[in-house]
């Protein structure tokens, strides 16, 4: 079995590849089988283990991703999220490769937001607001930069010093971008064409009343029923709401579960999943004043898409 670490995967496989491979998988989705991911709490708050299997029948390849989430790790200079993906030839049972999955997880999640922004945000979106500047944030930036002509990025983080560090990282890689750290999240919300939320907050990170007409929101942080980073008062104001995986959101996205229970939003009101949007080539925006929302909790077949794609690129280069 071949082993590739994060540095090797990162050097060979990029955001453009991930967006392409996820969209291509949607075209072949009848060949994909997955089960609902298993989430086992291992401590307080978000601390947990996640197990996510999926197979591609035609390609005769399967994966299982094993992810650990340990929120206190940064205090000990370790990453919050760590993952590995095992790739298996299902026709022979041979385990072909182990790929460091932390980068691939960040990349596929950023790609999902990128695809959502591609089909749901205004084509002239130039400002991106990022709430949360932790481990998932950089690839969220890359996903949006890949699909929209972003000129300015607003950053908000509960710990301002971390937002400043993230600003410096952005400017090192993208010196032509204008980047501003704001002290009030309201400022970010009122000035952003696209808002990206990547937190594990159990309470909304912005107020729905501050969202301006024409805004697109990507919510990718909450993945357990107690996590509620989006203000559910936003949902009735949104012209379109799309989920990455409808079954996953109904079981895991706390803000939508609560909104459904309180009859503020019903799951049958969803505009569809990301697969249907991509396959129908639908631009979900009738007007530049529409508010649109994409909610992502993750699903194993997204990991399958990027794991196969990365494996093929790495194998061709070795």
């Amino acid at each position: 079995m071949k082993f590739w670490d994060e540095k090797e995967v990162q050097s060979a496989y990029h955001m453009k590849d991930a967006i392409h491979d996820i969209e291509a998988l949607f075209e072949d989705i009848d060949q994909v089988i997955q089960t609902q991911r298993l989430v086992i709490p291992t401590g307080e708050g978000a601390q947990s283990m996640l197990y996510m299997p999926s197979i591609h029948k035609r390609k005769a390849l399967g994966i299982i991703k094993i992810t650990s989430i340990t929120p206190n790790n940064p205090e000990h200079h370790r990453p919050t999220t760590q993952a590995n993906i095992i790739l298996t030839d299902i026709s022979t049972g041979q385990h072909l490769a182990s790929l460091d999955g932390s980068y691939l997880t960040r990349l596929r999640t950023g790609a999902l937001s990128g695809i959502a922004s591609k089909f749901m945000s205004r084509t002239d979106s130039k400002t991106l607001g990022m709430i949360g500047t932790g481990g998932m944030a950089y690839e969220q930036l890359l996903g949006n930069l890949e699909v929209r002509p972003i000129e300015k990025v607003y950053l908000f983080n509960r710990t301002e010093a971390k937002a400043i560090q993230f600003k410096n990282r952005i400017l090192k890689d993208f010196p032509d971008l204008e980047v501003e750290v704001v002290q009030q999240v309201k400022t970010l919300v009122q000035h952003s064409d696209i808002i990206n939320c990547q937190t594990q907050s159990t309470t909304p990170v912005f107020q729905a009343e501050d969202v301006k007409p024409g805004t697109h929101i990507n919510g990718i942080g909450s993945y357990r029923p107690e996590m509620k980073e989006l203000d559910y008062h936003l949902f009735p104001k949104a012209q379109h709401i799309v989920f990455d995986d409808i079954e996953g959101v109904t079981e895991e996205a706390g803000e939508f579960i609560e909104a459904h229970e309180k009859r503020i939003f019903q799951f049958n009101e969803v505009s569809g999943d990301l697969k249907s949007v991509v396959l129908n080539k639908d631009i979900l925006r009738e007007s530049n004043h529409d508010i649109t929302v994409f909610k992502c909790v993750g699903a194993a077949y997204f990991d399958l898409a990027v794991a196969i794609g990365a494996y093929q690129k790495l194998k061709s280069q070795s």
Side-chain angles (χ1 to χ4, degrees), residues 126-138:
K126 293 181 171 60
T127 54
L128 170 66
M130 304 193 70
I131 302 175
T133 59
M136 298 293 286
Y138 188 73

Side-chain angles (χ1 to χ4, degrees), residues 68 84 223:
S68 62
N84 268 81
Y223 59 90

Side-chain angles (χ1 to χ4, degrees), residues 71-94:
N72 293 332
N73 264 2
E75 299 174 11
H76 308 286
H77 308 290
R78 292 191 293 262
T80 298
T81 303
Q82 300 171 77
N84 268 81
I85 298 175
I86 305 298
L87 185 74
T88 300
D89 181 335
I90 61 174
S91 64
T92 66
Q94 180 185 3

Side-chain angles (χ1 to χ4, degrees), residues 13-26 111 115 305:
Y13 193 72
H14 308 112
M15 180 57 68
K16 184 176 292 186
D17 302 316
I19 289 176
H20 173 272
D21 289 340
I22 290 172
E23 290 187 342
L25 187 75
F26 287 145
I115 295 168

Side-chain angles (χ1 to χ4, degrees), residues 133 155 161-173 178-181:
T133 59
L155 302 176
K162 292 182 179 179
I164 294 171
Q165 290 175 354
F166 190 60
K167 172 183 176 178
N168 293 335
R169 180 182 181 185
I170 294 173
L171 291 176
K172 180 180 178 182
D173 294 340
E178 184 179 355
V179 184
E180 179 180 345
V181 175

Side-chain angles (χ1 to χ4, degrees), residues 11-169:
S11 67
Y13 193 72
H14 308 112
M15 180 57 68
K16 184 176 292 186
D17 302 316
I19 289 176
H20 173 272
D21 289 340
I22 290 172
E23 290 187 342
L25 187 75
F26 287 145
E27 301 281 351
D28 214 13
I29 199 68
D30 62 332
Q31 294 295 311
V32 174
I33 299 174
Q34 72 167 18
T35 60
Q36 193 66 25
R37 71 181 178 185
L38 176 64
V39 181
I40 303 176
T42 56
E44 296 182 357
Q47 187 167 333
S48 54
M49 293 291 299
L50 287 72
Y51 301 88
M52 303 172 69
S54 182
I55 67 170
H56 196 300
K57 293 185 292 182
R58 184 177 58 79
K59 293 184 177 181
L61 292 171
I63 62 117
I64 183 165
K65 184 175 79 170
I66 304 170
T67 304
S68 62
I69 299 176
T70 316
N72 293 332
N73 264 2
E75 299 174 11
H76 308 286
H77 308 290
R78 292 191 293 262
T80 298
T81 303
Q82 300 171 77
N84 268 81
I85 298 175
I86 305 298
L87 185 74
T88 300
D89 181 335
I90 61 174
S91 64
T92 66
Q94 180 185 3
H95 301 308
L96 301 174
S98 172
L99 298 90
D100 184 284
S102 300
Y103 167 69
L104 286 178
T105 298
R106 301 193 306 269
L107 194 72
R108 64 88 154 139
T109 310
L112 292 170
S113 289
I115 295 168
S117 292
K118 173 181 172 182
F119 285 94
M120 299 180 72
S121 70
R122 301 196 324 268
T123 56
D124 64 347
S125 296
K126 293 181 171 60
T127 54
L128 170 66
M130 304 193 70
I131 302 175
T133 59
M136 298 293 286
Y138 188 73
E139 283 73 21
Q140 294 296 312
L141 171 74
L142 295 181
N144 283 288
L145 292 180
E146 190 68 37
V147 301
R148 287 294 179 256
I150 302 299
E151 297 176 356
K152 182 167 184 176
V153 179
Y154 294 92
L155 302 176
F156 176 82
N157 196 76
R158 287 184 303 175
T159 306
E160 187 177 7
K162 292 182 179 179
I164 294 171
Q165 290 175 354
F166 190 60
K167 172 183 176 178
N168 293 335
R169 180 182 181 185

Side-chain angles (χ1 to χ4, degrees), residues 120-121 215-217 238-240 284-285 290-294:
M120 299 180 72
S121 70
T215 303
H216 171 66
I217 298 100
Q239 278 68 41
H240 293 287
L284 293 188
R285 181 169 290 277
D290 286 356
I291 292 173
T292 54
V293 177
F294 170 65

